[in-house]
Amino acid sequence: MMENELLPVLSTVIISFITALITWGFTRKKQEQETISTELDNVEKATQIWRELAQDLKKQIDQLQKEMNELKKEVHTYRKENQQLKRTLKTQNA
């Protein structure tokens, strides 16, 4: 008689355990896929941020190059002017 009472309980426990394992297996695969998807999204967002930073830096570099070229022209102009002033001083002092 004890076997007759134990059999339904045992079968319920075994079926529950098997169901839990199957559910765990599917859930684990789904979580892995979601993790991979989230990682890809994060990589895409990081790439976008780096791309925007690179574009901003390029704009700043271009602006600095323009300013540097203007300053070079000014320095060249001032050197010419300085040389002319030196020549003028030499001729006046001679």
Side-chain angles (χ1 to χ4, degrees), residues 3-36:
E3 291 176 14
N4 289 340
E5 293 174 6
L6 212 69
L7 188 60
V9 172
L10 190 57
S11 65
T12 303
V13 169
I14 290 173
I15 290 173
S16 297
F17 181 72
I18 290 171
T19 304
L21 282 178
I22 291 171
T23 303
W24 175 78
F26 284 125
T27 304
R28 194 177 109 230
K29 286 182 181 180
K30 184 179 177 185
Q31 285 177 340
E32 286 175 1
Q33 290 173 349
E34 287 176 356
T35 300
I36 290 170

Side-chain angles (χ1 to χ4, degrees), residues 5 11 20 45 60 73 90:
E5 293 174 6
S11 65
K45 289 176 185 176
Q60 289 177 358
K73 288 177 185 177
K90 278 186 183 181

Side-chain angles (χ1 to χ4, degrees), residues 3 9 13 19 31 33 40 43 47 53-56 62 75-76 78 82 84 86 88 90-91:
E3 291 176 14
V9 172
V13 169
T19 304
Q31 285 177 340
Q33 290 173 349
L40 289 174
V43 167
T47 303
L53 285 172
Q55 289 172 350
D56 289 345
D62 290 343
V75 166
H76 181 71
Y78 291 140
N82 191 18
Q84 288 174 350
K86 283 182 179 180
T88 302
K90 278 186 183 181
T91 56

Side-chain angles (χ1 to χ4, degrees), residues 29-76:
K29 286 182 181 180
K30 184 179 177 185
Q31 285 177 340
E32 286 175 1
Q33 290 173 349
E34 287 176 356
T35 300
I36 290 170
S37 177
T38 301
E39 288 175 358
L40 289 174
D41 288 343
N42 289 342
V43 167
E44 187 175 318
K45 289 176 185 176
T47 303
Q48 182 63 31
I49 290 169
W50 281 106
R51 192 172 292 132
E52 289 172 4
L53 285 172
Q55 289 172 350
D56 289 345
L57 288 174
K58 172 130 178 55
K59 288 177 186 176
Q60 289 177 358
I61 288 171
D62 290 343
Q63 182 62 33
L64 288 172
Q65 284 177 332
K66 286 179 185 178
E67 290 176 18
M68 183 181 68
N69 288 335
E70 290 174 12
L71 290 171
K72 281 182 178 181
K73 288 177 185 177
E74 282 184 41
V75 166
H76 181 71

